[in-house]
Structure formats: C-alpha cells, structure tokens
C-alpha cells in the first residue's frame, strides 16, 4: 500500500510538472545528472579553462614578472654604488700622474674627480685606503642575507601564506629597506641594510616564478615562464641608464630610483595580482580557485560555473588517497624531452669554457671572449630550463621549497666567485677549464631524471607518486 501511495504521489507530481508550461522539462534531468556525476579532477578543469593564452593572462605574467626586474637591480646595484671612483692630483709637487697609490699621498695632494665625495660608497665613507675585506663587506652581507633568508623562507609552509601574499611582503620589504639606505650614515649601517635586503629578496624570484607557472596551462607554461627571466635581464641592464641619469648626484639616489618603483610595484601586486588557483585548491578553497580562473579566463565563465559544483570539498581532499593521476595533454609530449635540452646546454656550455681556456692560453683573447659569451648564454638558458623543470617535477604543496633549493645554489655560487677569483689570480683562465669539465660531467646526470615536458602539474604528493608509478609502468591514463 505504501508503495502504491508513493507511486501515486510521484505520478501526480509528474503530471503537475508537465501541466505547468513555465517549468523547464530538462531541469530535473540536469539536477539528477549533477547528483550522480562523479567529482571532477581540478587539473582537468584548470587545463580546460586556461587552454588559451589571452591578454589578461599576459598582463598578469608581466605584473608578477616585474618583481624579478627589481630583484636583479638589487643584485647588481653595487657595481655602480660601491665602485672605486676616479681621482686626480691637486698638488703636483707631491703627486704626479704616474702615482697609482693614493694611500701613500697626503689627503691634500689629491681629490676625487669633480670634487664630489658622495660619488661612491668608498669615497663617502673614506674607504679608499681600507682593507679589501671592509670595502667588500656590504656585498658579502647582501649574499649572506640571501642565504639566511633562503633557509628561513624555506621553513614557511605553503599553507601559511599564499604565493601572492609571500611575493607582496618580500617585494615590499626589499623596496622599503632599499629606500632606508638613502639615510644610512656609516658603512656598518649600510652593510646591515644590505643584509636585510638580501633576506627580503632571497625568494622573490621563487615566489614570482611559481605564481606564474601555476596560473597557465601546460601548453603555455614554457613560454610564460621565460618572461620573468627576460625581465630579470632587463632589470640589470636598466642600471646603466639609471646610473648615467644620476651620475652627478650621490650614489644614494641609485637606490632611491630603484626602490621607489619597487614599492609601487608591490602595491600593484597586492591589489591586482591574482592568487595561484592551484594553491587555493590544495588549501581546499575551491570556490576561490574557480573565481580566480573566471577572472583569468572570462571566456570560460560558463564552463566554470557548470563544473564548479562537481569539485571535491576540502574534507574529501584531506581524507581521500588524493585523487587521480594528473591530466596528460598528449602522448607525443611525453617523448619530447625538455630534459635533453638541459643536457645539451651543459655539454655545449662546458665545451665552450674549455675552448675559452685553451684560446686564452694561446693568447687569442678576442676569440676567447666570443666563446665566453657563448658559454654564458648556455649557462643562462640551462638555469632557465632547470627552473621550469623543477616546477614540473614537484607538486604544488612542496614546489616553493624545491625551487628555493635551486635559488640557494645560485646564491652560494655567486658568493663563492670572489674566493675562486682570488685562488686563481695567477692563472685567471683556469676557472674556465675547471668549470667546463665539471659542468659537462654534471650535465650527464640529467639523463637520470624523469621527463616532465607535456605533463600537467600535480598538486599533492599522492598525485605525484601515482603519476610517477604510471610513467614507470607505461600505463599513463588521464
């Protein structure tokens, strides 16, 4: 009897629905489909919604990538601010043009060119006769700050602050510290502020690079992630123009001209830059992740509104063994090795370094200079490819930490350069031979790494393990 009543009520409801011409007939079918449809993989939604690279995405890449422009300026700014200024004789009875050591002359016998003491840090703080250790101490403090900051920033969990927030705070701290250098009164204050800048900017490039890589699709990631490297090069190239414009002013104005735009840029990041949708998804904030995707790709708004309800909740993400294997864009993408590009750049760059050593030994310095530029080009391209490789190799939850290690290796290498130059002072070109063989040998180890080109990014460690297992067994499924 209860079954008959139930069927009767259901029949009446069906007739009432059919009788009402204003009620859309497919509404109930869509509701039933949404209730029975399985949860969607966020990676598939991400790739589908960002399949095209529009103007909005390009502007977001430029906005975030500009952080590397100001980062590069802080790295190379000491080339102009801490340079040894030129001087001339005043009392020609005590000083002659052949004199090369002003420390052996009384201060009244010579003067800085243009009579301007604030031309450089060395002239303003009277470091012309100080030890080389004291003159280079601010630069060393900067690199020490970068190392300390890298270790400290690596301890900050990805769940504490988002990619955008970390980039905003580090850029703002770097710019405000650079502005405060304008008011430094001694070499020790200046060195301390340089250390603080090193700490603040230690992971600026890492956060910007990850934020860009996590907001574009697999198809456009290699191109988009090259933009910040280009802006990095433009950053240190712009220093020459800035130094020329303020050549008649104090060295402090160089810091002012680079730090004030950086502060303005950090404010623009806070108000206009978008958070990483992948990071938001890992944190369980699917609603915010979908909203970011809508703003990045307005043309896919309808699609995103349709599939947003089929994403798993935060509780499901935490309790499940972590979703499905990441989406595979194409089969041939798995066999086009980005990995080989890293190997080729290491081998070619190492060979060019060895040739540079041989040519320098034979006295062919002009030709050696050409080979040196070629090896620098290969080294820079190899670093860029390695950075992209790390983004694709590690999941979202640990990507910041992984790219931090690459950044730390770069900083440690830069800090060791003065030591290497001092050791090889008698035979300067020997470093080319040593690093030529080392780079070529280490490049071969790239063949032991898994291939990542054409693969989408994983978000959790479980997804990464499942993907690696699928690649090993040859059963790659989407």
């Amino acid at each position: 009897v209860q079954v008959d009543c139930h069927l009767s009520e259901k029949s009446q409801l069906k007739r009432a629905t059919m009788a009402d011409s204003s009620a859309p007939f497919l509404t109930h079918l869509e509701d039933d489909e949404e209730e029975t449809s399985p949860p969607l993989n966020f990676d598939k939604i991400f790739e589908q919604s960002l399949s095209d690279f529009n103007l909005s995405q390009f502007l977001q890449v430029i906005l975030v990538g500009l952080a590397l422009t100001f980062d590069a300026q802080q790295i190379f700014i000491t080339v102009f601010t801490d340079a040894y200024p030129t001087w001339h004789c005043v009392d020609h009875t005590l000083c002659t043009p052949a004199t090369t050591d002003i420390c052996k002359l009384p201060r009244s016998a010579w003067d800085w060119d243009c009579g301007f003491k604030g031309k450089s840090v060395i002239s303003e703080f009277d470091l012309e006769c100080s030890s080389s250790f004291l003159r280079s101490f601010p630069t060393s403090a900067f690199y020490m700050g970068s190392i300390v900051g890298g270790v400290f920033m690596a301890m900050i969990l990805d769940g504490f602050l988002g990619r955008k927030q970390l980039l905003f705070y580090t850029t703002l701290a770097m710019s405000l510290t650079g502005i405060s250098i304008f008011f430094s009164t001694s070499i020790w204050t200046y060195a301390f502020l340089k250390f603080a800048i090193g700490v603040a900017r230690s992971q600026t490039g890492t956060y910007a690079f990850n934020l860009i890589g996590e907001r574009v699709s697999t198809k456009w990631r290699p191109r988009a992630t090259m933009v910040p490297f280009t802006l990095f090069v433009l950053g240190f190239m712009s220093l020459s123009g800035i130094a020329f414009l303020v050549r008649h002013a104090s060295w402090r104005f160089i810091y002012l001209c680079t730090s004030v735009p950086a502060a303005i840029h950090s404010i623009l990041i806070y108000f206009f830059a978008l958070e990483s949708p992948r990071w938001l998804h890992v944190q369980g904030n699917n609603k915010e992740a979908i909203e970011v995707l809508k703003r990045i790709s307005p043309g896919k708004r309808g699609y995103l509104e349709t599939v947003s309800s089929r994403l798993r909740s935060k509780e499901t993400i935490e309790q499940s063994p972590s979703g499905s294997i990441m989406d595979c864009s194409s089969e041939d993408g798995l066999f086009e090795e980005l990995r080989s590009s890293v190997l080729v750049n290491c081998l070619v760059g190492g060979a060019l370094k060895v040739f540079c050593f041989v040519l320098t030994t034979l006295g062919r310095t002009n030709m050696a200079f050409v080979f040196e530029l070629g090896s620098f080009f290969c080294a820079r391209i190899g670093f860029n490819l390695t950075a992209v490789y790390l983004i694709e190799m590690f999941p979202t939850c640990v990507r910041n930490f992984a790219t931090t290690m690459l950044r730390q290796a770069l900083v440690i290498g830069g800090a060791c350069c003065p030591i290497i130059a001092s050791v090889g002072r008698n035979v300067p070109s020997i470093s080319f031979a040593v690093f030529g063989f080392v780079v070529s040998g280490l490049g071969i180890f790239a063949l032991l790494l898994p291939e990542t080109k054409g693969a989408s990014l994983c978000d959790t460690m479980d997804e990464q393990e499942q993907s690696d297992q699928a690649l090993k067994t040859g059963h790659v499924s989407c």
Side-chain angles (χ1 to χ4, degrees):
V1 176
Q2 293 178 355
V3 173
D4 293 340
C5 293
H6 179 70
L7 292 176
S8 177
E9 293 176 357
K10 195 170 185 178
S11 300
Q12 294 176 3
L13 179 61
K14 183 177 181 180
R15 292 193 189 97
T17 304
M18 295 178 63
D20 187 3
S21 60
S22 63
F25 179 71
L26 296 178
T27 303
H28 304 288
L29 296 179
E30 293 175 356
D31 293 340
D32 294 340
E33 183 179 357
E34 290 180 358
E35 293 177 359
T36 58
S37 298
L40 278 179
N41 185 0
F42 179 79
D43 186 71
K44 294 182 179 180
I45 297 176
F46 180 90
E47 294 290 339
Q48 179 65 26
S49 61
L50 300 181
S51 57
D52 299 326
F53 193 77
N54 53 36
L55 179 61
S56 175
Q57 296 183 56
F58 177 74
L59 294 178
Q60 283 288 320
V61 170
I62 294 295
L63 176 61
V64 175
L66 280 173
L68 275 83
T69 299
F70 301 109
D71 181 33
Q73 290 177 344
Q74 294 301 327
I75 294 175
F76 298 99
I77 197 170
T78 53
V79 174
F80 302 94
T81 61
D82 296 19
Y84 205 103
T86 57
W87 59 279
H88 62 276
C89 294
V90 176
D91 187 351
H92 292 282
T93 60
L94 300 174
C95 176
T96 62
T99 306
T100 57
D101 189 359
I102 60 177
C103 297
K104 297 180 180 179
L105 298 173
R107 183 63 182 85
S108 59
W110 62 273
D111 196 8
W112 302 112
D113 286 352
C114 301
F116 184 49
K117 186 178 181 181
K119 183 74 174 179
S120 169
V121 172
I122 293 178
S123 58
E124 179 160 337
F125 295 137
D126 298 325
L127 302 177
E128 62 273 7
C129 295
S130 301
S131 63
S132 58
F133 170 79
L134 185 60
R135 290 198 297 266
S136 61
F137 182 68
T139 303
S140 301
F142 172 80
Y143 282 108
M144 287 300 300
S146 299
I147 295 174
V148 173
V151 175
F152 174 74
M153 296 296 183
M155 297 178 183
I156 299 179
L157 299 178
D158 288 345
F160 181 68
L161 290 171
R163 307 282 197 252
K164 171 187 171 180
Q165 298 294 331
L166 285 171
L167 180 62
F168 163 70
Y169 285 121
T170 54
T171 307
L172 181 63
M174 178 185 70
S175 59
L176 293 180
T177 309
I179 294 174
S180 63
I181 284 182
F182 186 83
F183 306 99
S184 58
T185 57
S186 66
I187 186 62
W188 305 110
T189 305
Y190 174 61
F192 173 77
L193 292 175
K194 290 292 291 184
F195 176 84
I197 289 180
V199 173
R201 55 75 49 191
S202 59
Q203 296 307 317
T204 298
T206 297
Y207 299 145
F209 197 68
N210 287 339
L211 185 56
I212 291 174
E214 292 175 0
R215 291 190 317 195
V216 293
S217 63
T218 301
K219 176 182 178 181
W220 295 101
R221 190 187 311 129
R223 300 174 179 87
T225 48
M226 289 298 108
V227 173
F229 290 122
T230 303
L231 294 175
F232 180 89
V233 175
L234 293 178
F236 72 78
M237 289 178 61
S238 66
L239 283 173
S240 300
I242 296 174
F244 177 78
L245 293 175
V246 297
R247 62 188 182 279
H248 299 304
S250 172
W251 59 273
R252 302 170 187 269
F253 282 93
I254 302 181
Y255 278 100
L256 207 61
C257 292
T258 56
S259 299
V260 171
I264 297 174
H265 173 254
S266 65
I267 296 174
L268 295 178
I269 289 177
Y270 182 82
F271 287 104
F272 297 105
L274 300 177
E275 184 55 87
S276 164
R278 288 187 177 277
W279 180 84
L280 291 170
H281 169 66
V282 170
Q283 301 305 312
N285 300 323
N286 289 330
K287 183 178 180 181
E288 290 83 352
I290 294 297
E291 290 300 322
V292 170
L293 290 176
K294 289 179 182 178
R295 294 181 62 183
I296 296 177
S297 184
K300 298 298 180 69
R301 182 178 294 271
Y303 165 76
L304 292 169
E305 291 178 350
T306 303
V307 300
S308 59
S309 60
R310 296 172 59 185
L311 275 175
R312 293 174 300 169
S313 62
K314 182 176 182 179
E315 291 77 11
T316 307
I317 295 175
E318 292 176 349
Q319 295 174 3
S320 68
S322 179
S324 59
I325 301 175
M326 59 183 174
D327 185 23
C328 310
S329 59
S330 62
E331 289 186 3
D332 56 350
L334 295 174
F335 299 98
E336 296 175 3
E337 300 191 353
L338 170 59
R339 180 181 56 183
S340 297
S341 301
V342 176
L343 174 62
V344 170
N345 274 277
C346 289
L347 294 178
V348 174
L352 291 177
K353 289 180 184 295
V354 175
F355 287 140
C356 184
F357 166 73
V358 175
L359 292 173
T360 304
T361 305
L362 297 177
R364 307 294 297 272
T365 55
N366 292 333
M367 188 176 294
F369 179 72
V370 176
F371 280 93
E372 182 181 355
L373 289 178
S375 79
F376 178 78
F377 177 82
C378 291
R380 190 65 208 180
I381 294 298
F383 174 79
N384 297 352
L385 292 173
T386 303
V388 178
Y389 194 53
L390 279 176
I391 282 185
E392 297 176 341
M393 186 182 298
F394 293 92
T396 303
C397 58
V398 295
R399 189 168 293 124
N400 263 359
F401 177 80
T403 49
T404 293
M405 295 300 100
L406 175 65
R407 192 79 171 179
Q408 286 293 83
L410 180 66
V411 173
I412 293 175
C416 292
C417 284
I419 301 175
I420 297 172
S422 177
V423 172
R425 182 172 299 173
N426 295 329
V427 187
S429 60
I430 193 66
S431 61
F432 288 104
V434 173
F435 285 105
F437 288 110
V438 171
V439 170
S440 300
L442 293 178
I444 299 177
F445 286 97
L447 296 175
L448 303 178
L449 300 174
E451 182 52 54
T452 60
K453 184 177 181 180
S456 299
L457 302 183
C458 293
D459 292 321
T460 64
M461 294 299 294
D462 290 341
E463 289 182 8
Q464 188 71 55
E465 291 177 359
Q466 293 179 21
S467 174
D468 294 342
Q469 186 63 31
L471 289 175
K472 289 180 181 179
T473 57
H475 300 289
V476 182
S477 59
C478 298

